[in-house]
Short mmCIF file of all heavy atoms in Angstrom, two decimals:
data_model
loop_
_atom_site.label_atom_id
_atom_site.label_comp_id
_atom_site.label_asym_id
_atom_site.label_seq_id
_atom_site.Cartn_x
_atom_site.Cartn_y
_atom_site.Cartn_z
N VAL L 1469 7.56 11.75 9.57
CA VAL L 1469 8.20 10.86 10.54
C VAL L 1469 8.03 11.42 11.93
O VAL L 1469 8.42 12.56 12.20
CB VAL L 1469 9.70 10.70 10.22
CG1 VAL L 1469 10.37 9.84 11.29
CG2 VAL L 1469 9.87 10.05 8.86
N GLY L 1470 7.45 10.63 12.83
CA GLY L 1470 7.28 11.05 14.21
C GLY L 1470 8.14 10.22 15.13
O GLY L 1470 9.14 9.64 14.74
N LEU L 1471 7.73 10.15 16.38
CA LEU L 1471 8.47 9.38 17.37
C LEU L 1471 7.94 7.96 17.42
O LEU L 1471 6.74 7.74 17.32
CB LEU L 1471 8.29 10.02 18.76
CG LEU L 1471 8.85 11.44 18.89
CD1 LEU L 1471 8.40 12.04 20.21
CD2 LEU L 1471 10.35 11.43 18.79
N PRO L 1472 8.82 6.96 17.57
CA PRO L 1472 8.36 5.59 17.71
C PRO L 1472 7.49 5.44 18.95
O PRO L 1472 7.68 6.12 19.95
CB PRO L 1472 9.65 4.78 17.85
CG PRO L 1472 10.73 5.67 17.32
CD PRO L 1472 10.27 7.07 17.63
N SER L 1473 6.54 4.55 18.88
CA SER L 1473 5.69 4.30 20.04
C SER L 1473 6.46 3.51 21.08
O SER L 1473 6.98 2.44 20.81
CB SER L 1473 4.45 3.49 19.61
OG SER L 1473 3.74 3.07 20.74
N ARG L 1474 6.54 4.06 22.28
CA ARG L 1474 7.31 3.39 23.32
C ARG L 1474 6.57 2.21 23.93
O ARG L 1474 7.12 1.47 24.70
CB ARG L 1474 7.67 4.40 24.41
CG ARG L 1474 8.57 5.53 23.88
CD ARG L 1474 9.02 6.45 24.98
NE ARG L 1474 9.98 7.42 24.49
CZ ARG L 1474 10.60 8.30 25.26
NH1 ARG L 1474 10.37 8.34 26.55
NH2 ARG L 1474 11.47 9.16 24.74
N SER L 1475 5.30 2.08 23.56
CA SER L 1475 4.53 0.97 24.11
C SER L 1475 4.73 -0.30 23.31
O SER L 1475 4.29 -1.36 23.71
CB SER L 1475 3.03 1.33 24.10
OG SER L 1475 2.58 1.51 22.77
N SER L 1476 5.39 -0.19 22.17
CA SER L 1476 5.54 -1.35 21.31
C SER L 1476 6.82 -2.12 21.64
O SER L 1476 7.89 -1.54 21.70
CB SER L 1476 5.57 -0.91 19.85
OG SER L 1476 5.91 -2.00 19.03
N PRO L 1477 6.72 -3.42 21.82
CA PRO L 1477 7.93 -4.20 22.08
C PRO L 1477 8.88 -4.19 20.89
O PRO L 1477 10.08 -4.38 21.06
CB PRO L 1477 7.38 -5.62 22.32
CG PRO L 1477 6.04 -5.63 21.65
CD PRO L 1477 5.51 -4.23 21.79
N ALA L 1478 8.38 -3.90 19.69
CA ALA L 1478 9.25 -3.87 18.52
C ALA L 1478 10.21 -2.70 18.55
O ALA L 1478 11.22 -2.71 17.86
CB ALA L 1478 8.40 -3.82 17.24
N CYS L 1479 9.89 -1.66 19.36
CA CYS L 1479 10.77 -0.49 19.42
C CYS L 1479 12.15 -0.87 19.93
O CYS L 1479 13.15 -0.30 19.53
CB CYS L 1479 10.19 0.57 20.34
SG CYS L 1479 8.85 1.51 19.61
N GLU L 1480 12.20 -1.82 20.86
CA GLU L 1480 13.46 -2.16 21.49
C GLU L 1480 14.42 -2.80 20.48
O GLU L 1480 15.62 -2.59 20.54
CB GLU L 1480 13.21 -3.11 22.67
CG GLU L 1480 12.36 -2.46 23.77
CD GLU L 1480 12.07 -3.42 24.89
OE1 GLU L 1480 12.57 -4.55 24.84
OE2 GLU L 1480 11.34 -3.04 25.82
N SER L 1481 13.87 -3.56 19.56
CA SER L 1481 14.72 -4.23 18.58
C SER L 1481 14.86 -3.43 17.30
O SER L 1481 15.71 -3.72 16.47
CB SER L 1481 14.14 -5.61 18.24
OG SER L 1481 12.86 -5.46 17.65
N GLY L 1482 13.98 -2.40 17.13
CA GLY L 1482 14.03 -1.60 15.92
C GLY L 1482 13.43 -2.29 14.72
O GLY L 1482 13.60 -1.86 13.59
N SER L 1483 12.74 -3.38 14.97
CA SER L 1483 12.18 -4.14 13.85
C SER L 1483 10.80 -3.63 13.49
O SER L 1483 10.18 -2.90 14.23
CB SER L 1483 12.09 -5.62 14.23
OG SER L 1483 11.23 -5.78 15.34
N CYS L 1484 10.35 -4.01 12.32
CA CYS L 1484 9.04 -3.59 11.84
C CYS L 1484 8.13 -4.80 11.77
O CYS L 1484 8.49 -5.82 11.18
CB CYS L 1484 9.16 -2.93 10.47
SG CYS L 1484 7.57 -2.52 9.73
N TYR L 1485 6.99 -4.69 12.41
CA TYR L 1485 6.04 -5.79 12.35
C TYR L 1485 5.33 -5.80 11.01
O TYR L 1485 4.72 -4.83 10.61
CB TYR L 1485 5.00 -5.65 13.46
CG TYR L 1485 3.84 -6.60 13.31
CD1 TYR L 1485 4.03 -7.97 13.37
CD2 TYR L 1485 2.55 -6.12 13.06
CE1 TYR L 1485 2.96 -8.83 13.21
CE2 TYR L 1485 1.48 -6.97 12.91
CZ TYR L 1485 1.70 -8.35 12.99
OH TYR L 1485 0.65 -9.20 12.83
N GLU L 1486 5.44 -6.88 10.29
CA GLU L 1486 4.74 -7.06 9.03
C GLU L 1486 4.12 -8.44 9.04
O GLU L 1486 4.69 -9.39 9.58
CB GLU L 1486 5.68 -6.92 7.84
CG GLU L 1486 6.24 -5.52 7.68
CD GLU L 1486 7.23 -5.44 6.54
OE1 GLU L 1486 7.87 -6.47 6.25
OE2 GLU L 1486 7.37 -4.36 5.96
N PRO L 1487 2.95 -8.62 8.44
CA PRO L 1487 2.32 -9.93 8.40
C PRO L 1487 3.13 -10.91 7.57
O PRO L 1487 3.81 -10.52 6.62
CB PRO L 1487 0.97 -9.64 7.74
CG PRO L 1487 1.19 -8.39 6.96
CD PRO L 1487 2.19 -7.60 7.74
N ARG L 1488 3.04 -12.17 7.91
CA ARG L 1488 3.76 -13.19 7.16
C ARG L 1488 3.08 -13.46 5.82
O ARG L 1488 1.89 -13.28 5.67
CB ARG L 1488 3.82 -14.48 7.97
CG ARG L 1488 4.67 -14.36 9.22
CD ARG L 1488 4.75 -15.68 9.94
NE ARG L 1488 5.59 -15.59 11.12
CZ ARG L 1488 5.80 -16.61 11.94
NH1 ARG L 1488 5.22 -17.78 11.72
NH2 ARG L 1488 6.57 -16.47 12.99
N VAL L 1489 3.88 -13.89 4.86
CA VAL L 1489 3.33 -14.20 3.54
C VAL L 1489 2.71 -15.59 3.59
O VAL L 1489 3.35 -16.55 3.98
CB VAL L 1489 4.45 -14.19 2.48
CG1 VAL L 1489 3.89 -14.53 1.12
CG2 VAL L 1489 5.13 -12.85 2.46
N PRO L 1490 1.44 -15.72 3.23
CA PRO L 1490 0.81 -17.04 3.24
C PRO L 1490 1.42 -17.93 2.17
O PRO L 1490 1.74 -17.45 1.08
CB PRO L 1490 -0.66 -16.73 2.92
CG PRO L 1490 -0.62 -15.44 2.18
CD PRO L 1490 0.55 -14.68 2.75
N PRO L 1491 1.62 -19.21 2.45
CA PRO L 1491 2.30 -20.08 1.49
C PRO L 1491 1.53 -20.22 0.19
O PRO L 1491 2.12 -20.48 -0.85
CB PRO L 1491 2.39 -21.41 2.24
CG PRO L 1491 1.33 -21.34 3.30
CD PRO L 1491 1.25 -19.90 3.68
N GLU L 1492 0.20 -20.02 0.21
CA GLU L 1492 -0.57 -20.27 -0.99
C GLU L 1492 -0.77 -19.02 -1.84
O GLU L 1492 -1.35 -19.09 -2.90
CB GLU L 1492 -1.95 -20.84 -0.62
CG GLU L 1492 -2.91 -19.82 0.00
CD GLU L 1492 -2.65 -19.53 1.46
OE1 GLU L 1492 -1.67 -20.07 2.00
OE2 GLU L 1492 -3.41 -18.75 2.07
N GLY L 1493 -0.27 -17.84 -1.40
CA GLY L 1493 -0.61 -16.63 -2.14
C GLY L 1493 0.54 -15.66 -2.27
O GLY L 1493 1.68 -15.91 -1.86
N ALA L 1494 0.21 -14.53 -2.85
CA ALA L 1494 1.20 -13.47 -3.05
C ALA L 1494 1.45 -12.74 -1.74
O ALA L 1494 0.76 -12.98 -0.76
CB ALA L 1494 0.69 -12.50 -4.11
N PRO L 1495 2.44 -11.83 -1.74
CA PRO L 1495 2.75 -11.11 -0.50
C PRO L 1495 1.57 -10.30 0.00
O PRO L 1495 0.80 -9.76 -0.78
CB PRO L 1495 3.90 -10.19 -0.91
CG PRO L 1495 4.45 -10.78 -2.17
CD PRO L 1495 3.29 -11.43 -2.84
N LEU L 1496 1.44 -10.26 1.31
CA LEU L 1496 0.45 -9.35 1.87
C LEU L 1496 0.93 -7.92 1.70
O LEU L 1496 2.12 -7.64 1.72
CB LEU L 1496 0.25 -9.63 3.37
CG LEU L 1496 -0.38 -10.96 3.73
CD1 LEU L 1496 -0.45 -11.07 5.24
CD2 LEU L 1496 -1.76 -11.08 3.13
#
Side-chain angles (χ1 to χ4, degrees):
V1469 177
L1471 297 170
S1473 171
R1474 297 185 174 185
S1475 63
S1476 172
C1479 283
E1480 297 177 3
S1481 62
S1483 62
C1484 175
Y1485 169 63
E1486 293 177 332
R1488 293 183 178 179
V1489 179
E1492 73 282 3
L1496 293 178

